[in-house]
Amino acid sequence: TTLNALFNDFMAHNGNISTELKVSTARRYESIYNNQIKEFFGNRQISKITKVQIRNWVKELSENGKNLRTGEPLSPKTIKNALSLLSTLYKYAIEDLDLLEKNPCEHVKVPKSTKKYKIQKDFYKEHEIADLISLLFKEKDTNTGKCHATAILLILFTGLRIGEAMGLRWEDIDFNESTINIERIRLMVPNDGVIEDTPKTEGSVRIITVPDFVMEMLKDLQVYQRNNKIVLGEEYTDSGYVFTVAEGTPHHPHNTYHWFKRFLKRYGLRDTTLHDLRHTHAAILSSIGVQIIDVSKRLGHTNTRITQEVYEYYFRNTDKDISDKLEQFYQRIRKM
C-alpha cells in the first residue's frame, strides 16, 4: 500500500476516525498532505518508509520548506502539523487496517529553528483604532453598512473569528447578562460551499462577556431586522442569524470581508484583515493589563501555550473584568 492510497482510504473511510472529521478539518488535511507530504512520500510503500527518512524529510522542510502562498519559510507549527498528520495516517494503518506494527513517526521531533522565528501579527495602533471606530460608527448608521460595521466592531472588541461571528444566532446572545455564546461557525470551504459547523476546537466553544456599547449595537441591529421583517412581510426570511442581508437570510461568510476591504480603501485606512482585528483585540487586552490565561479563554484557544506562542510579544480578573476594561478603553478612545 502506498501512502497516497492510505491517505485516500483514510479520508474516505466510514469507520470511527474519518467520519469524525469536520469538513474544514478534512480540507486542512488535504492541504497539508498535498503541500508538505505527497511529494516526498506519496508513491512510497508505507512499509518501506523509515524513521531516518522521516527525520530527513522534517529536516528538509525545516531548512528549505516554503509557504506556497507567501514564499516565506515554513513555520515550526506548519511542520509539526505535517508530522502529526503523517503520524495519524500510520496510526490508522496500524489500529484500523492492521497493516503495520510500528509507527516510524514516533519520537521524531521538529528541530528548533536556528533563526528566531516569530510571526509579528499585524495590529492597529491606538490612533488607528480611534479612526476605525469613528468611521465604522458612521457606516453603522447607513442601511448598507449597518450589518457589516456592527460585525467588524464586534470582532474588534470580542476577538471572535469571522466564522464564529457569521455563525451567531440571536438565541446565542443574552442581553440581560451581556454575554455571547459561541457554539457554531459558518464558513466558506472550497469545493463544499458555505457550511455550518462546530467551532474550531473544544476550547472555542465558550461564553464571553461583551462591553455594553457592543450590546447596544446588537440591539440596534435586531430592531433594524424586525423593521425589515415588517416592511417586507412574506418576502422576509426569518433565519435567526445575527448578520443577515436585508431580506433576512444569513450573509455569505465572505461578504463582510469584501465590504471591509472596500471600506478601508474608501477612507484611506491602513490595509488589514478581519483576522488581524482579532490580533488587535489581543493587543488591546495586553494594553489594559489582562492576564494571558484570561486572554486565552476569551480567544477560544485550547490552552495558554497557543496564546503564548502567537501573542508572546504582547504579554509580560475575570472575563467580566475584561469586559469592563474594554468599556473603559472604548470610552477613552472615542474622545481622541
Side-chain angles (χ1 to χ4, degrees):
T1 301
T2 66
L3 192 66
N4 280 340
L6 179 66
F7 178 74
N8 291 335
D9 188 73
F10 170 76
M11 296 301 289
H13 185 51
N14 292 319
N16 62 1
I17 296 182
S18 295
T19 51
E20 295 181 358
L21 291 180
K22 297 192 292 185
V23 174
S24 53
T25 302
R27 295 297 170 262
R28 183 169 61 84
Y29 279 1
E30 288 173 352
S31 176
I32 292 171
Y33 185 80
N34 291 330
N35 293 337
Q36 274 84 50
I37 300 175
K38 188 174 182 178
E39 178 184 350
F40 291 86
F41 299 124
N43 293 322
R44 301 285 304 278
Q45 293 292 317
I46 59 172
S47 60
K48 295 183 178 179
I49 298 174
T50 67
K51 187 183 296 287
V52 171
Q53 290 169 340
I54 292 173
R55 282 179 174 150
N56 288 338
W57 163 68
V58 168
K59 186 172 183 288
E60 173 65 18
L61 290 181
S62 299
E63 294 178 353
N64 301 309
K66 300 288 184 185
N67 182 303
L68 296 182
R69 184 173 59 84
T70 65
E72 295 293 318
L74 293 179
S75 69
K77 180 182 177 183
T78 298
I79 300 169
K80 284 179 184 176
N81 288 342
L83 178 60
S84 176
L85 176 57
L86 185 59
S87 182
T88 297
L89 294 177
Y90 269 100
K91 288 177 183 176
Y92 173 64
I94 294 167
E95 298 172 8
D96 284 58
L97 303 182
D98 203 24
L99 296 176
L100 299 167
E101 292 184 358
K102 292 185 178 180
N103 184 343
C105 296
E106 287 183 358
H107 308 302
V108 176
K109 295 181 179 179
V110 175
K112 290 185 178 176
S113 179
T114 51
K115 357 178 190 185
K116 188 147 181 155
Y117 189 93
K118 288 273 186 248
I119 301 177
Q120 292 297 314
K121 299 298 182 185
D122 187 25
F123 61 93
Y124 266 24
K125 308 302 183 290
E126 286 200 6
H127 70 280
E128 293 175 305
I129 297 173
D131 291 340
L132 179 67
I133 292 172
S134 177
L135 292 168
L136 283 172
F137 263 86
K138 177 181 175 182
E139 292 291 337
K140 190 178 71 65
D141 291 333
T142 68
N143 287 337
T144 55
K146 180 179 289 293
C147 184
H148 297 305
T150 300
I152 293 164
L153 285 162
L154 176 70
I155 291 170
L156 178 61
F157 281 94
T158 61
L160 291 188
R161 301 174 178 93
I162 180 60
E164 294 171 341
M166 292 299 105
L168 284 178
R169 299 174 64 88
W170 289 113
E171 66 197 46
D172 302 322
I173 299 176
D174 188 329
F175 287 106
N176 293 324
E177 297 296 327
S178 294
T179 60
I180 289 179
N181 183 26
I182 295 100
E183 58 179 34
R184 79 184 65 77
I185 59 174
R186 286 186 73 253
L187 68 166
M188 176 69 183
V189 176
N191 303 321
D192 291 281
V194 177
I195 66 164
E196 185 174 292
D197 208 341
T198 53
K200 186 175 180 181
T201 65
E202 187 177 332
S204 297
V205 178
R206 63 203 188 277
I207 296 176
I208 59 174
T209 311
V210 179
D212 292 342
F213 77 93
V214 175
M215 298 307 292
E216 289 302 318
M217 290 190 304
L218 290 170
K219 285 179 185 177
D220 289 344
L221 184 60
Q222 190 176 53
V223 170
Y224 173 74
Q225 284 188 8
R226 287 171 176 167
N227 289 338
N228 282 346
K229 183 176 181 179
I230 293 171
V231 171
L232 295 175
E234 293 182 357
E235 295 179 12
Y236 187 86
T237 301
D238 194 352
S239 66
Y241 285 95
V242 173
F243 299 112
T244 68
V245 299
E247 294 77 17
T249 56
H251 264 295
H252 188 287
H254 287 177
N255 283 0
T256 297
Y257 171 84
H258 293 307
W259 184 91
F260 186 48
K261 286 296 185 180
R262 293 193 298 270
F263 165 84
L264 294 174
K265 188 173 182 180
R266 182 163 68 251
Y267 288 107
L269 299 177
R270 180 161 65 89
D271 191 36
T272 189
T273 68
L274 292 175
H275 196 72
D276 285 335
L277 293 186
R278 178 171 158 86
H279 302 319
T280 298
H281 181 71
I284 294 171
L285 297 184
S286 173
S287 74
I288 59 180
V290 179
Q291 298 300 306
I292 195 166
I293 187 171
D294 297 317
V295 176
S296 182
K297 290 176 182 176
R298 190 169 180 86
L299 294 179
H301 287 161
T302 305
N303 53 57
T304 55
R305 179 185 58 78
I306 297 172
T307 315
Q308 186 71 36
E309 286 179 357
V310 177
Y311 301 109
E312 182 179 3
Y313 52 96
Y314 290 162
F315 300 100
R316 300 269 188 259
N317 358 81
T318 63
D319 198 57
K320 182 65 172 67
D321 291 333
I322 295 175
S323 176
D324 292 342
K325 288 176 180 177
L326 283 171
E327 180 70 28
Q328 294 166 15
F329 173 89
Y330 165 75
Q331 296 298 343
R332 176 168 59 84
I333 211 81
R334 286 288 281 162
K335 295 176 183 177
M336 284 189 170

